[in-house]
Amino acid sequence: MTTTIQPTTNDPEPPPTTGRVVTPGTSVAADMSGTAGTRGTAGTSSPPGTTACAGVVGPTGATGTAAASAPDSTSGAPRTSVPAVPGAGRTSSGSVEPAHARVPAPRRADRCGVGGAGAPLPGAARADAHAPSAPAHVVRFAVLGDSLSEGVGDRVDGVWRGWAALLADGLAGPGQHVEFRNFAVSGAQSREVAEQQAPEAVAFRPDLVSVVVGVNDTLRHTFDIGRLARRLDRVCADLTADGAVLLTACLPDPGRMLGLPPPLARPLARRQKAVNALVHAISARYDTVHLHLADAAWTDDRSLWSADRLHPGERGHRAIAARFHVLLKARGLAHGAPPSPEPEQPPPTRTEALLWLATAGTGWVARRCHDLLPQLLHLAGAELRHWAGGSAARLDRRAEHALSAALAAVSLDATVATMGE
C-alpha cells in the first residue's frame, strides 16, 4: 500500500516556505497555474512540521494519493504510523494523530536490505525494535523540486496530484508498503530546495528521492550556474550519503515552450542547456535514475501540456510517471503496476483556458515584469547586437566557460556535460 504524506506548500511569491497542511478539497496556487480552470484554494495554516496523510492504496497501483481516491477505509488494510515529525499529523482516515504516537524513523544502519550497488532492493525487511507491528517491507519515496514535482497541471478533487504520486502508486509489490512524502513547492528555486526541502527529506530517510529543479532558476535575474552546481551537488551528496537512490531529469527550454521570439528565447535556451548539462554530470556522479525530458518528441506533443505551456497536463504527468517506472523497474526498484497513460479527468475547455490566461497567466507575467523581464530585455539587446555583428557565437562560448567553471568548482566530470542538450 502507499501512504501519501503531503507536505506543506506556499504561494511562490515571496519565496516558498513550508508549514501548511494540504487536505483533500484544497490546493495551493502555483507560480504558474497548471491546467486551465483548475486552480484550487489555499490551504489553511498549521504548526510547523505538521503533515497530512492524503490516502492509502493497495500494491496493485490503484490510485489513492492526494486527491486520487478516498482513504482505504473499506479494504481492511491496517494503517501504519508515519515517520516521526514534530507536532501532530493526519492519518489516512483524516484524523489527527498525536505526535507521541508516531514511530521514529529507524536509522539506515537498522534497516535491512537497503544499500548501494549490489545490495538488496529498497523495500526489503527492516528491523525496528520500536515498532514490532509495522510492515516488514517499507519503501520511502521523497520528492523535492518545484511546481512540476508538486503536480501542477494534474488536479484531482481539489488538490494537485502529479507524476510523483502516480509513480508512488506503482512502486510497491505484494507485501510491500510505500511511504510517500512530497516536499516540492511551486516556484521553488535551487536555494529553497537546498535550504528548506533537502533537510526535511534527509530527516525522512528515503530509499528513493527525486530531485528535479532548475527551471525557476533560469527564469530569475539572479541565475548563476555556479551557485546552482554547488547547491545541487550538496543536496545530492546529503541524500545519497545514507544510501538513497536519486531520480533526476533534464527539462525543456521554457522559451521554446512559451513560443518566445528568438532574441528573448535564445538567452533562456542557453541557460536551460547549461542546467541540463549540469544535471547530466550530477546524474553520472551519483548514478541517478535519469529521465530525458528535453527532446522534441516530448516538447512538441501539445496533448501532454496544460494551458500555461510550462506544466504538463494529466496526460503529461502520467507520461513522466510511466517513463520513470520503466527505468526503476529495469533496476529492480519498481514492483507494482505502471500508471495508466490515459487521463481520468476531462481536459479543460477553451473557456477555462481563456479564463486561466486572463487570471493566473496575467499574474505570472506581472510578477516576472519585476524580476526576469528587465534583465531578459537586456539579454535580448545583447543577442541582437551580437547577431548583427556576426559574433553571436561569443555568447555561447561565454556560457560554456561559465558551465565549465561551475563543474570544475565541484569536481564534476565535464566530459558528460555538453551545452548541446
Side-chain angles (χ1 to χ4, degrees), residues 33-58:
S33 177
T35 305
T38 62
R39 188 172 180 131
T41 59
T44 57
S45 298
S46 66
T50 304
T51 57
C53 187
V56 178
V57 299

Side-chain angles (χ1 to χ4, degrees), residues 264-289:
L264 295 174
R266 277 195 292 263
L268 293 180
R270 199 175 287 117
R271 289 180 172 187
Q272 190 59 51
K273 287 178 180 179
V275 172
N276 286 343
L278 168 62
V279 172
H280 280 294
I282 290 281
S283 175
R285 166 174 282 182
Y286 295 99
D287 189 25
T288 74
V289 178

Side-chain angles (χ1 to χ4, degrees), residues 42-286:
T44 57
S45 298
S46 66
T50 304
T51 57
C53 187
V56 178
V57 299
T60 60
T63 304
T65 56
S69 73
D72 187 5
S73 60
T74 60
S75 65
R79 290 200 299 266
T80 60
S81 298
V82 295
V85 293
R90 296 182 184 272
T91 65
S92 59
S93 63
S95 60
V96 176
E97 178 188 28
H100 61 76
R102 295 176 180 272
V103 179
R107 297 180 59 183
R108 176 72 63 167
D110 297 329
R111 299 186 197 169
C112 300
V114 180
L121 303 176
R126 300 177 183 182
D128 183 1
H130 300 287
S133 62
H137 302 278
V138 178
V139 179
R140 288 178 177 163
F141 177 32
V143 177
L144 281 64
D146 51 30
S147 54
L148 173 69
S149 296
E150 186 189 19
V152 171
D154 180 30
R155 182 170 177 261
V156 182
D157 293 341
V159 296
W160 301 124
R161 177 179 56 183
W163 67 265
L166 291 165
L167 176 61
D169 290 346
L171 294 178
Q176 291 184 322
H177 173 77
V178 174
E179 292 179 358
F180 168 58
R181 185 174 293 184
N182 194 335
F183 297 97
V185 178
S186 295
Q189 302 175 54
S190 59
R191 176 174 61 85
E192 285 79 38
V193 170
E195 296 177 1
Q196 300 170 21
Q197 298 178 24
E200 295 184 51
V202 169
F204 179 54
R205 306 185 79 80
D207 301 303
L208 298 174
V209 55
S210 169
V211 181
V212 181
V213 68
V215 169
N216 284 314
D217 290 74
T218 69
L219 296 174
R220 300 300 196 276
H221 74 281
T222 55
F223 175 75
D224 185 311
I225 191 64
R227 283 199 297 265
L228 180 60
R230 293 190 294 273
R231 289 166 180 164
L232 280 183
D233 187 57
R234 184 174 81 249
V235 167
C236 293
D238 290 345
L239 290 167
T240 57
D242 208 22
V245 175
L246 294 179
L247 282 66
T248 57
C250 56
L251 299 171
D253 162 29
R256 178 180 178 182
M257 297 303 299
L258 291 171
L260 297 179
L264 295 174
R266 277 195 292 263
L268 293 180
R270 199 175 287 117
R271 289 180 172 187
Q272 190 59 51
K273 287 178 180 179
V275 172
N276 286 343
L278 168 62
V279 172
H280 280 294
I282 290 281
S283 175
R285 166 174 282 182
Y286 295 99

Side-chain angles (χ1 to χ4, degrees), residues 5 47 67 98 115 188 212 249 367 416:
I5 310 168
V212 181
R367 291 192 294 274
V416 298

